[in-house]
Amino acid sequence: MKTSDFNFDLPAELLAEHPSEHRDEARLMVLNRKTETIEHKLFKDVVDYFDEKDLFIFNNTKVFPARLYGNKEKTGAKIEVFLLRELDKETRVWDVLVDPARKIRIGNKLFFTEDESLVAEVIDNTTSRGRTLRFLFDGSYDEFRTKLKELGETPLPKYIKRAVEPEDAERYQTIYAKIEGAVAAPTAGLHFSKHLMKKLEIKGIDFAEVTLHVGLGTFNPIEVEDLSKHKMESEEIIIDEKNADIINKAVDAHRRVCAVGTTTMRALETSVSSNRKISAFNGWTNKFIYPPHDFGVANSMITNFHTPKSTLLMMIAAFAGKDFIMHAYEEAVKEKYKFYSYGDAMLIL
């Protein structure tokens, strides 16, 4: 498989700048893999495709406000700092991306508050835009994290050109988000409202949760033509015994098991054994799923519409069949479905 096999024309106006007015009223394209048929619905209709004891698996990661703005010492230049991951809690060392990067060198200091209560020193270069920062803050760890939250803003993807709005803090977060650690939302889950969750519950549908802290690596462009040469960045996964057990019981009973989002699917495929059992897991994954791939757990999935040549499009092509997915995407463009993080959804059965 080649990267260029997953290219298609995506008009700029189909990239969603805002979410749908109500979470569960985004559009939903339903793909049936057996019959290769396509239906056009609203997201809240998802309940009609599942029965009692079927299972939805959600990624309960929580997005933290990862984008900060600081000023460089001496020049005062405004620098965007995007927090990627905490490397050391004690010394407050973080991996970050900086923009513009050319101005930021080892030894530089960045000031985030006028009273200089939060300062960071650049201690290493990691990639062209990547830096390692040590934060200097006179207070407890909890106070430090509170200060980061106060100063940070919702990390909307770069393709959204508008300024962050107050509603983004709520809408760029799933309603079941629990464990903080993601720098991007698991976006298929954004379509679930409290009302829809209640309807699924009343129908007798079971829920399980996994945690995959979404990193920016998910969105990194593939710069090689041969997919086997692409390296995914690592993301952290946590699956506990209780949820592994719920998932295994549904698989053993031949229920419909639905992975909500590509991040949930990556977590499942990382932790599944050769006998199709999920084990409790606490670690990191850099698993890259592209065709052909034999999926071990979920037999249905919900996902948003992804950009051309993205690793996310490759994963769903592996799940639904490349030709069928590319045909569905042609249809989505024709029918003016909205793409990407705040866009519409697809259910693959």
Side-chain angles (χ1 to χ4, degrees), residues 204-219:
I205 288 157
D206 291 330
F207 301 148
E209 294 182 353
V210 300
T211 307
L212 183 144
H213 291 316
V214 190
L216 285 186
T218 302
F219 309 113

Side-chain angles (χ1 to χ4, degrees), residues 13-247:
E13 67 269 17
L14 297 187
L15 289 176
E17 288 272 324
H18 290 89
S20 57
E21 190 181 346
H22 300 290
R23 284 181 186 267
D24 57 15
E25 288 187 355
R27 293 166 75 193
L28 178 70
M29 179 186 273
V30 183
L31 269 56
N32 186 309
R33 292 181 291 170
K34 277 202 186 99
T35 57
E36 295 212 342
T37 50
I38 296 174
E39 296 177 277
H40 304 287
K41 301 281 186 175
L42 289 179
F43 193 80
K44 59 188 176 185
D45 299 325
V46 77
V47 71
D48 300 334
Y49 293 89
F50 294 86
D51 295 316
E52 191 178 351
K53 293 293 176 201
D54 286 345
L55 179 68
F56 275 70
I57 308 172
F58 299 102
N59 180 5
N60 65 11
T61 188
K62 189 172 190 180
V63 179
F64 66 91
R67 190 173 274 126
L68 304 170
Y69 293 95
N71 296 98
K72 192 179 166 189
E73 64 178 336
K74 294 180 186 156
T75 66
K78 187 179 180 185
I79 305 293
E80 179 190 303
V81 173
F82 195 101
L83 301 171
L84 290 178
R85 64 175 69 101
E86 186 175 50
L87 299 179
D88 189 312
K89 193 172 169 175
E90 297 300 313
T91 56
R92 298 173 189 171
V93 171
W94 285 70
D95 261 346
V96 305
L97 295 177
V98 293
D99 191 17
R102 67 184 183 282
K103 296 182 174 180
I104 302 302
R105 298 192 174 93
I106 293 171
N108 287 161
K109 281 199 169 83
L110 299 170
F111 295 86
F112 295 93
T113 54
E114 286 201 6
D115 63 2
E116 299 186 8
S117 59
L118 184 67
V119 180
E121 183 182 7
V122 182
I123 59 173
D124 200 5
N125 295 330
T126 50
T127 62
S128 59
R129 286 183 57 216
R131 301 290 184 272
T132 305
L133 300 187
R134 181 187 290 116
F135 283 96
L136 311 168
F137 179 78
D138 191 15
S140 69
Y141 179 75
D142 287 344
E143 287 166 337
F144 166 64
R145 290 302 297 243
T146 300
K147 179 60 80 175
L148 287 184
K149 268 190 195 157
E150 273 171 23
L151 296 173
E153 69 175 31
T154 304
L156 291 184
K158 282 285 195 188
Y159 83 86
I160 292 180
K161 300 297 181 215
R162 63 175 173 80
V164 172
E165 295 165 9
E167 70 154 4
D168 290 313
E170 183 215 345
R171 292 301 301 271
Y172 195 63
Q173 194 84 269
T174 63
I175 62 164
Y176 47 78
K178 278 185 194 153
I179 302 172
E180 195 170 81
V183 299
T187 55
L190 298 179
H191 303 293
F192 286 85
S193 63
K194 285 185 177 142
H195 181 64
L196 178 57
M197 294 290 269
K198 200 66 189 159
K199 278 174 79 175
L200 291 166
E201 226 174 277
I202 289 165
K203 199 164 182 182
I205 288 157
D206 291 330
F207 301 148
E209 294 182 353
V210 300
T211 307
L212 183 144
H213 291 316
V214 190
L216 285 186
T218 302
F219 309 113
N220 278 355
I222 298 184
E223 287 165 351
V224 289
E225 180 64 355
D226 176 355
L227 294 188
S228 65
K229 302 273 196 300
H230 179 66
K231 296 281 184 287
M232 294 286 283
E233 275 185 37
S234 292
E235 294 171 311
E236 190 179 8
I237 294 176
I238 306 151
I239 302 175
D240 62 24
E241 293 280 2
K242 180 185 150 209
N243 283 286
D245 194 43
I246 294 169
I247 295 165

